[in-house]
Amino acid sequence: MRVKAVVAYDGTGYGGYQIQKNAPTIQGELESALAQLAGASVRTLAAGRTDAGVHAVGQVIAFDLEWRHSLEGLQRGLNAVLPAQISILDLQESAPGFHPRYDARRRWYRYRIYRGATRHPFYQRFYLHVSRSLSIVEMQAAAQMLVGRQDFYAFGSPPQGDNAIREVFRADWREEEELLRFDIEADAFLFRMVRMLVGTLLRVGRGDLDTASFAEILRTRDRRRAGPAVPASGLTLMGVTY
Amino acid sequence: MRVKAVVAYDGTGYGGYQIQKNAPTIQGELESALAQLAGASVRTLAAGRTDAGVHAVGQVIAFDLEWRHSLEGLQRGLNAVLPAQISILDLQESAPGFHPRYDARRRWYRYRIYRGATRHPFYQRFYLHVSRSLSIVEMQAAAQMLVGRQDFYAFGSPPQGDNAIREVFRADWREEEELLRFDIEADAFLFRMVRMLVGTLLRVGRGDLDTASFAEILRTRDRRRAGPAVPASGLTLMGVTY
């Protein structure tokens, strides 16, 4: 039976989603929990390999498992075994050929910013602290230029052999009191693309880069003028659409 | 010079506000930071001695300090020295006789609840997870009975020699999607009072206690029928009014 699960995690302290030797990973914790319940090793597939420190509330994984009990029991069992930083929010049987990465049509990421004058302990884990004033109007104008099917080479590396053309469906800043969030949804993302985009958009917000120059960086594919990438801690994979 | 400061902290992992021998405390961290900047030991006074694990965004402290530089510099210096879990949000000179506890007229606490079906890593630190369904209407009806000047002996211990009469100015539940919060403001609180109240109100919300019985517990001062206290992790001292 192939199982599809929606996973939330606090990426703080993890070396990213994908298993590696030198740091604890989300995939490592999930496969270890599955092995405990299944009594055998289980390989997982995931929609996106989030970087070290990046969070998720809508990561999608799939795995094959022989399981005689209820799926509710499997979800409860996994949540009982997983560390507090990781939780299975939903779990269902999927088609046998379901692949969370290849079948994904849209991915939605959110970047969170806390704008108080001083750092705030409640916003340490999931927010970037920015105390300088920002023009949200300018940042939103630049963000609108991202929408559509374009070459995003200026903002990130494509995988080997791939091009940098991606389709962005929406890119929006929204302000709520001293919190600010950037939502971006695309068919797929380049490596570090959201963090590079947010870093460049913050320069627009601070008045260090005008929207015409932002458009030019995008058009000329000039990565040296883009960025710098903002820290991983503010970034969350919100959801994946199939 | 007497200084008044507003302090925010993530109480997770701390043994409460007040200095003690066996655990790190907020007061201990603050006085250690002050000693580093002042070059001498500094005693602090606080509006409320929050319990182990309780958070704050509006704790108020006061201390006497000889300081030749700007107050902005003092605030920045303290925030540079304090751990990430503690932050000075505001800092001003106060009247020489200002006492954050004795001069306080109102204290406002918030208790946060996450109502998702499964535990969620984003809501581990500042929320209680309640997956059972709750009647917010009943909980709000019971909460309204708390408003006014009354004897709250059923919900907490007064300090030695004091009575349990306190004045509650407001007590409200508010729901926002899967998050729920209880705000209560009073002239002062008994030991563990907010956590005992929330624990008893959750029994009302689950249908295990009706509002008439809730009123009776309050009226008869019967502490054996109240509670149990909910965990400290959901509780935050929001602010103090002078």
Side-chain angles (χ1 to χ4, degrees):
Chain A
M1 170 170 72
R2 178 151 290 193
V3 175
K4 172 189 175 187
V6 178
V7 186
Y9 46 86
D10 173 350
T12 314
Y14 283 100
Y17 182 83
Q18 195 173 25
I19 280 185
Q20 53 167 281
K21 277 183 191 161
N22 304 316
T25 61
I26 308 298
Q27 185 183 5
E29 300 279 15
L30 288 168
E31 294 188 359
S32 152
L34 279 163
Q36 279 185 65
L37 267 80
S41 111
V42 178
R43 276 297 308 277
T44 57
L45 304 165
R49 299 180 204 130
T50 52
D51 289 348
V54 173
H55 318 288
V57 299
Q59 171 73 284
V60 176
I61 65 167
F63 51 86
D64 292 318
L65 189 74
E66 291 191 40
W67 185 257
R68 295 153 183 233
H69 316 289
S70 72
L71 288 177
E72 291 74 23
L74 178 59
Q75 184 180 354
R76 253 199 310 277
L78 287 169
N79 282 332
V81 166
L82 283 165
Q85 292 93 321
I86 306 176
S87 172
I88 309 289
L89 297 186
D90 189 41
L91 190 147
Q92 292 173 28
E93 187 171 356
S94 71
F98 170 71
H99 194 295
R101 182 145 64 104
Y102 301 144
D103 294 349
R105 293 189 298 110
R106 293 173 176 225
R107 285 133 171 120
W108 165 29
Y109 279 91
R110 173 171 292 174
Y111 199 87
R112 290 180 172 88
I113 291 171
Y114 164 67
R115 302 179 70 200
T118 55
R119 64 179 176 74
H120 194 301
F122 278 42
Y123 303 115
Q124 291 286 340
R125 291 177 97 82
F126 305 113
Y127 293 78
L128 172 69
H129 177 218
V130 176
S131 54
R132 281 186 56 183
S133 78
L134 297 169
S135 163
I136 313 298
V137 172
E138 293 291 303
M139 286 161 71
Q140 179 66 6
Q144 289 316 295
M145 299 173 182
L146 302 170
V147 177
R149 191 171 169 78
Q150 303 184 66
D151 188 329
F152 289 98
Y153 186 85
F155 299 103
S157 312
Q160 273 192 328
D162 191 12
N163 62 43
I165 295 168
R166 300 290 184 273
E167 183 169 7
V168 169
F169 303 108
R170 62 182 174 116
D172 282 301
W173 288 96
R174 202 170 117 184
E175 207 178 359
E176 199 171 334
E177 294 176 18
E178 55 195 8
L179 304 181
L180 184 61
R181 65 200 203 192
F182 177 64
D183 284 303
I184 184 164
E185 194 171 14
D187 56 353
F189 289 90
L190 305 169
F191 179 63
R192 292 188 120 197
M193 179 170 155
V194 184
R195 291 163 58 192
M196 283 287 279
L197 282 171
V198 172
T200 316
L201 289 167
L202 284 177
R203 279 166 55 206
V204 173
R206 289 192 297 256
D208 298 337
L209 187 74
D210 60 28
T211 50
S213 304
F214 183 85
E216 198 178 279
I217 292 170
L218 176 62
R219 196 187 67 239
T220 59
R221 305 165 76 240
D222 189 353
R223 199 179 296 164
R224 291 164 310 173
R225 292 176 63 202
V230 284
S233 55
L235 186 60
T236 301
L237 172 54
M238 299 298 288
V240 183
T241 307
Y242 294 93
Chain B
M1 171 171 69
R2 179 151 288 193
V3 175
K4 173 189 176 186
V6 178
V7 186
Y9 45 87
D10 172 352
T12 313
Y14 283 100
Y17 182 82
Q18 195 174 25
I19 280 186
Q20 52 167 281
K21 277 183 191 162
N22 305 313
T25 61
I26 307 300
Q27 185 185 5
E29 300 280 15
L30 288 168
E31 295 188 359
S32 150
L34 279 164
Q36 279 185 66
L37 269 79
S41 111
V42 177
R43 277 298 309 277
T44 57
L45 303 165
R49 299 180 203 131
T50 54
D51 289 347
V54 174
H55 318 288
V57 298
Q59 172 73 285
V60 176
I61 65 166
F63 50 87
D64 293 318
L65 189 75
E66 291 192 39
W67 185 256
R68 294 151 184 238
H69 316 288
S70 73
L71 288 177
E72 292 74 25
L74 177 59
Q75 183 180 356
R76 253 199 311 277
L78 286 170
N79 282 331
V81 166
L82 283 165
Q85 293 94 319
I86 306 176
S87 172
I88 308 290
L89 297 186
D90 189 42
L91 190 146
Q92 293 173 26
E93 186 172 355
S94 70
F98 171 70
H99 193 296
R101 184 146 62 101
Y102 302 144
D103 294 348
R105 291 189 298 112
R106 294 173 175 225
R107 286 134 171 118
W108 165 29
Y109 279 91
R110 173 171 291 173
Y111 199 88
R112 291 182 171 87
I113 292 172
Y114 165 67
R115 302 180 68 199
T118 55
R119 65 179 174 74
H120 194 299
F122 278 41
Y123 303 115
Q124 291 286 340
R125 289 177 98 81
F126 305 112
Y127 293 79
L128 172 70
H129 178 218
V130 176
S131 55
R132 282 185 56 184
S133 78
L134 295 170
S135 164
I136 313 299
V137 172
E138 293 291 304
M139 286 160 71
Q140 179 66 7
Q144 289 316 296
M145 299 172 184
L146 301 170
V147 177
R149 189 171 171 79
Q150 304 183 64
D151 188 328
F152 288 98
Y153 187 85
F155 300 102
S157 311
Q160 273 191 328
D162 191 12
N163 62 43
I165 295 170
R166 299 291 183 273
E167 183 169 6
V168 170
F169 303 108
R170 62 182 174 117
D172 282 300
W173 288 96
R174 203 169 117 183
E175 209 179 356
E176 199 171 334
E177 293 176 19
E178 56 195 8
L179 304 181
L180 184 61
R181 65 197 201 195
F182 177 64
D183 284 304
I184 185 165
E185 195 171 13
D187 55 354
F189 289 90
L190 305 169
F191 180 62
R192 292 189 118 197
M193 178 171 155
V194 183
R195 291 163 59 194
M196 283 286 280
L197 281 171
V198 171
T200 316
L201 289 167
L202 284 176
R203 280 166 56 207
V204 172
R206 289 192 298 257
D208 298 337
L209 187 73
D210 59 27
T211 50
S213 305
F214 183 86
E216 198 178 278
I217 293 171
L218 177 61
R219 197 187 64 240
T220 58
R221 307 166 74 241
D222 189 354
R223 201 180 295 162
R224 291 165 310 172
R225 294 175 63 201
V230 284
S233 55
L235 186 60
T236 301
L237 172 55
M238 299 297 289
V240 183
T241 309
Y242 293 94

